[in-house]
Amino acid sequence: MMDPNDIKGKEHFKALSNKSGVYITNSFPIKYNGSTVGYVEIGQYSSVLLSTEDINFKLSINKGIGASIFLSLFIIIIISLYISKQFSVPIREVSNISVNLSNGDYNSRTSVKTDILEIEKLKSSINTLGEKLKHQDLLRKRLISDISHEIRTPLNILQNNLEAMIDGIFPVNTEQLVALNDEVIRFGKLLNNLNTLKKFESETISINKEKVPLNELLSSICDDFSIALNEKNIELIYNTKSGKSYNIFGDTDKLKQVFINLLSNAIKFSNVSGKIWVNLTRVKEEIIVSIRDTGIGIQKEDLPFIFERLYRGDKSRNKIEGSGLGLTIVKDILTLHSASINVESEEGRGSTFTIRFKAIN
Ligand code: ADP
């Protein structure tokens, strides 16, 4: 019987002396008269690894695979370092900004550049937050100074006049007492307005919504102003198209307050012989009321603030009486009605306040 190992020693296998190939055998039984008398084992080295070239080829492939794994790892590391930097630098910056904001540095902003949309959004929202906090801080400071100014003025007048009376400089007569009483009344009005505002802002105000026909409400309010209009010889033009429905869902008394505040402002800030237009229109499901005057207008720098508590334009502060709460109350009432208010104004030419309500049928 032939030993299968003999074949390995044959000439054309000499190259495989390192025996690194895979040697596969198959054995077949030899049968004679129904019984197995022997086996033939046929063996061979796995076909790809038959020669030195094959082995070299395998080695070079292995080397190639190793090198490409190494290269890929290197590239992956470089790319991930780059990408993580793209994330980590702006995120670190945003987190620094938020720390600054929480420490009261409201001027802190980030300008770091990024191509990642989400980071860009995060960056712009932290900047917007900074802007808003700065604005709120400004308003808070202004509110405190305005409240103290509003309270100090009538108190000073009262104190000076009373002292003058005590010292005998001013006579104590009805005229003087009426003037002093006016100051006390003004002071009382301010506190009342502040109180109304407090109710709105603490959301304790109760509102009774019903169907309100705005055309009827507006025309009756315009009529109520006839005396005030006559006093300044102001012409009021009320415009609306009849036959249309101008119903909204709201609280009649509160809405009345809105139009009264806006119309009193229009009259208050109008010059003698001015004009006021009240327009009521409906565009699809929107009811639009605009109140336009030809009055003194509002300075550009005052415009963003006029709806804030106690804010009064510089011009009006000195010459025209007011508390700076009228428009804040207007805005609060309209917010309760999911309505919006916008203002357009040009100094010296006049102002237009536009309110948009959602119509009901
Ligand atoms: P007040 O009228 O008591 O001062 P408001 O809250 O009603 O307070 O108005 C705030 C400020 O907005 C006013 O001080 C004034 O500067 C400005 N303003 C409001 N309405 C008008 C208007 N129709 N024309 C000019 N300025 C206006």
Side-chain angles (χ1 to χ4, degrees), residues 86-97:
Q86 288 268 310
F87 278 94
S88 69
V89 171
I91 287 180
R92 199 178 323 122
E93 174 105 3
V94 167
S95 112
N96 288 342
I97 301 289

Side-chain angles (χ1 to χ4, degrees), residues 58-236:
K58 182 192 160 195
L59 281 177
S60 70
I61 283 198
N62 284 350
K63 268 190 207 158
I65 291 175
S68 56
I69 287 176
F70 179 75
L71 194 71
S72 320
L73 275 178
F74 183 72
I75 292 173
I76 287 170
I77 289 170
I78 297 289
I79 290 179
S80 45
L81 274 178
Y82 174 75
I83 291 180
S84 72
K85 217 170 172 204
Q86 288 268 310
F87 278 94
S88 69
V89 171
I91 287 180
R92 199 178 323 122
E93 174 105 3
V94 167
S95 112
N96 288 342
I97 301 289
S98 61
V99 170
N100 291 349
L101 290 177
S102 68
N103 288 337
D105 174 8
Y106 302 131
N107 285 318
S108 201
R109 298 284 179 279
T110 165
S111 56
V112 70
K113 295 239 176 330
T114 169
D115 297 330
I116 302 157
L117 193 68
E118 283 74 14
I119 303 262
E120 184 61 37
K121 276 189 186 159
L122 182 67
K123 199 186 95 180
S124 77
S125 48
I126 195 90
N127 281 347
T128 315
L129 178 70
E131 232 15 89
K132 291 215 165 127
L133 285 173
K134 189 176 165 187
H135 181 66
Q136 285 303 324
D137 187 52
L138 190 81
L139 287 178
R140 189 177 53 81
K141 287 183 183 141
R142 183 173 283 155
L143 181 68
I144 296 168
S145 91
D146 283 353
I147 288 185
S148 53
H149 173 91
E150 293 299 324
I151 292 175
R152 204 181 327 108
T153 314
L155 275 184
N156 275 348
I157 296 175
L158 276 178
Q159 190 187 357
N160 293 344
N161 284 278
L162 285 172
E163 279 173 3
M165 284 178 181
I166 292 165
D167 294 345
I169 302 166
F170 276 2
V172 183
N173 58 25
T174 317
E175 199 188 327
Q176 288 295 331
L177 289 175
V178 167
L180 291 188
N181 194 36
D182 282 349
E183 281 307 313
V184 176
I185 290 171
R186 200 163 86 85
F187 194 49
K189 269 193 201 160
L190 171 74
L191 292 182
N192 276 345
N193 277 338
L194 275 173
N195 204 28
T196 313
L197 204 65
K198 191 196 82 196
K199 279 194 207 148
F200 274 114
E201 302 203 335
S202 58
E203 287 166 6
T204 53
I205 199 111
S206 66
I207 89 163
N208 306 307
K209 285 194 178 171
E210 55 185 343
K211 186 178 186 170
V212 185
L214 275 187
N215 44 345
E216 287 168 28
L217 186 72
L218 276 172
S219 76
S220 90
I221 294 172
C222 289
D223 289 345
D224 292 344
F225 274 96
S226 57
I227 297 173
L229 290 163
N230 277 341
E231 273 175 8
K232 280 180 97 170
N233 192 30
I234 294 171
E235 188 188 353
L236 188 147

